[in-house]
Amino acid sequence: MSTIDIDSPADARAWFRTERNARVMRFIAGGEWVVRDAARLDGLLAGLTLGDAQEAEIDGSAITRLDSAGALLLLRTKRDMEKAGKRVKSFTLPEIYAPLIDTIEKEHVAPPVVMERRHGPLALLERIGRGTVETGRQGYRMLGYLGRFAIEWAEAMLLPRGNLRFAALIHQVEEVGINALPIVGLLGFLIGIVMAYQGADQLRRFGAEIFTINLLGVGILRELGGLVTAIIIAGRSGSAFTAQIGTMRVNEEIDALQTIGINTFDVLVLPRVLGLLIALPFLTFYADVMAMIGGAVMCYFDLGITFPAFMRQLHEAISMNTFLVGIIKAPVFAIVIGLVGCFEGLQVERNAASVGKLTTRSVVESVFLVIVIDAGFSILFSILKI
């Protein structure tokens, strides 16, 4: 067996040597393989002759210190041997450095990042296809999530297990309902003013200003009151659900709850969705009332219609069905907003960027679904002639 000293222990903190025979090449390393000697070791390893032996052994048992730079040099040497056709029989290091070697080896073999083609018709078609497939998968996952919610809700209502936490439920009613009254009332009032002004401006040309009240009553109670309230709550509370649950996921609080045996669906999802289910119909009614008040104020100052005259015309213009058509949508909107907000929160990865990305996605999905469902209701009521 021949021995070649590449770097002797006497003149360096980090050293290595090779021992070769016809069958095996041994790479022996020792000392402190740390970043301060990385440049010197890199140059010496670049000139390492691997020889014709079919097998190789790496013996680092004499290494006294090892950091990530030294570990990377050792792993690179191992891969160079494998590329040269040698079978590395053993790779020996002090046991304390095994986790470092494993971590760097896994990171190093990660697949390279492939830059997507962002231009050209094929790239556009590829993005459309991927988006369509992902949309289908997202819909499938959310449908399964809806099924789980239905089961958990039924168990909480029917089985005496105490799944439903009433303190958390009341807190959510306060957060999404009572605390939302100022913004919902203000926007409802302003929408009533805008609709009354624009309606009066158009109807004045035909001498039919009094029908501004009919426009307000039907438009607000059937469509705009519930729709605008749902959009406001999607942006206010749906995004809060995603951000809160997502932050808990980043901080590993959800993992802690699961570890101690708590059903996170009962704790995090049910109170939020049920709280929104209770609060949104009342918020919709409140928005309707504030919009009517705003419209009455505008009609008084712009058209000279007094409040008693406004109420008489409103009573003739609408019926109980007009009110019920608008209010019956609110529970459906509440379930959609709550489920989307909680679902996206549970999809958050363990980084802050994911919280912001999925919070934005939550609002977009909620608003989109609310508008689609509202359109579906409008078509259904038209077919049923309600």
Side-chain angles (χ1 to χ4, degrees):
M1 177 181 287
S2 62
T3 301
I4 301 177
D5 289 320
I6 301 297
D7 199 5
S8 117
D11 47 23
R13 286 181 291 266
W15 57 269
F16 66 89
R17 69 174 187 271
T18 59
E19 297 176 355
R20 300 192 185 96
N21 58 27
R23 191 174 60 85
V24 179
M25 170 189 174
R26 295 191 68 217
F27 180 90
I28 304 170
E32 300 179 353
W33 281 60
V34 293
V35 67
R36 66 167 173 263
D37 286 333
R40 179 176 60 83
L41 290 169
D42 183 47
L44 294 171
L45 290 170
L48 180 64
T49 303
L50 299 179
D52 298 327
Q54 297 300 310
E55 297 180 344
E57 297 177 354
I58 298 176
D59 183 2
S61 56
I63 291 177
T64 56
R65 288 183 61 196
L66 183 69
D67 64 7
S68 57
L72 185 61
L73 290 172
L74 289 172
L75 287 170
R76 192 184 69 183
T77 303
K78 174 176 176 285
R79 292 192 182 91
D80 288 343
M81 292 178 178
E82 292 171 341
K83 288 179 182 178
K86 302 184 185 302
R87 185 173 69 87
V88 180
K89 294 170 50 179
S90 63
F91 187 6
T92 307
L93 284 172
E95 187 66 27
I96 192 175
Y97 300 123
L100 174 62
I101 290 292
D102 290 342
T103 300
I104 293 180
E105 191 165 23
K106 289 176 183 177
E107 291 293 331
H108 187 75
V109 298
V113 176
V114 178
M115 299 300 294
E116 295 184 3
R117 296 170 55 193
R118 298 183 178 275
H119 303 288
L122 291 179
L124 176 61
L125 288 175
E126 183 179 355
R127 288 199 300 273
I128 293 173
R130 286 183 177 178
T132 303
V133 171
E134 180 57 30
T135 300
R137 290 175 178 171
Q138 181 80 344
Y140 178 78
R141 290 193 295 265
M142 291 183 66
L143 190 61
Y145 196 74
L146 175 61
R148 183 182 176 187
F149 168 76
I151 293 173
E152 296 281 355
W153 185 10
E155 289 181 351
M157 296 293 104
L158 302 177
L159 299 181
R161 293 192 306 163
N163 286 8
L164 187 58
R165 288 161 169 78
F166 287 99
L169 175 62
I170 297 303
H171 174 72
Q172 291 302 325
V173 171
E174 179 183 4
E175 284 293 320
V176 304
I178 297 175
N179 293 345
L181 288 176
I183 184 64
V184 171
L186 177 61
L187 290 179
F189 183 81
L190 294 177
I191 288 172
I193 290 177
V194 170
M195 283 198 66
Y197 180 80
Q198 295 296 330
D201 188 50
Q202 298 300 318
L203 293 172
R204 186 180 287 114
R205 304 175 185 180
F206 307 100
E209 297 94 332
I210 192 64
F211 291 107
T212 301
I213 302 171
N214 299 54
L215 173 67
L216 274 174
V218 176
I220 295 293
L221 296 182
R222 284 185 66 100
E223 294 294 337
L224 283 182
L227 183 62
V228 171
T229 303
I231 291 174
I232 295 170
I233 296 303
R236 181 186 180 276
S237 300
S239 61
F241 292 170
T242 303
Q244 290 165 359
I245 297 176
T247 303
M248 291 179 68
R249 189 165 183 81
V250 171
N251 295 335
E252 300 183 354
E253 296 175 46
I254 294 179
D255 294 338
L257 291 173
Q258 292 172 337
T259 300
I260 62 179
I262 294 178
N263 187 336
T264 54
F265 204 94
D266 293 342
V267 174
L268 301 177
V269 178
L270 273 181
R272 286 176 166 82
V273 177
L274 294 182
L276 192 55
L277 185 63
I278 294 171
L280 192 57
F282 291 101
L283 286 174
T284 301
F285 174 73
Y286 177 67
D288 291 342
V289 172
M290 293 303 296
M292 290 296 102
I293 293 174
V297 170
M298 178 54 65
C299 287
Y300 178 77
F301 287 103
D302 188 40
L303 302 176
I305 300 175
T306 62
F307 289 104
F310 181 93
M311 294 304 298
R312 284 194 300 271
Q313 183 65 26
L314 182 64
H315 183 267
E316 294 176 3
I318 64 173
S319 64
M320 180 58 70
N321 282 344
T322 309
F323 171 74
L324 292 178
V325 163
I327 210 70
I328 202 172
K329 304 174 186 177
V332 180
F333 293 161
I335 292 175
V336 168
I337 295 168
L339 284 180
V340 170
C342 295
F343 174 79
E344 295 296 351
L346 292 171
Q347 304 306 307
V348 168
E349 300 172 359
R350 302 187 189 280
N351 58 78
S354 180
V355 177
K357 176 182 176 181
L358 290 179
T359 300
T360 302
R361 182 192 294 179
S362 168
V363 175
V364 173
E365 289 178 350
S366 298
V367 172
F368 172 78
L369 290 175
V370 163
I371 294 175
V372 169
I373 292 171
D374 184 70
F377 270 118
S378 296
I379 295 171
L380 176 64
F381 292 145
S382 176
I383 293 174
L384 297 177
K385 301 185 184 305
I386 297 177

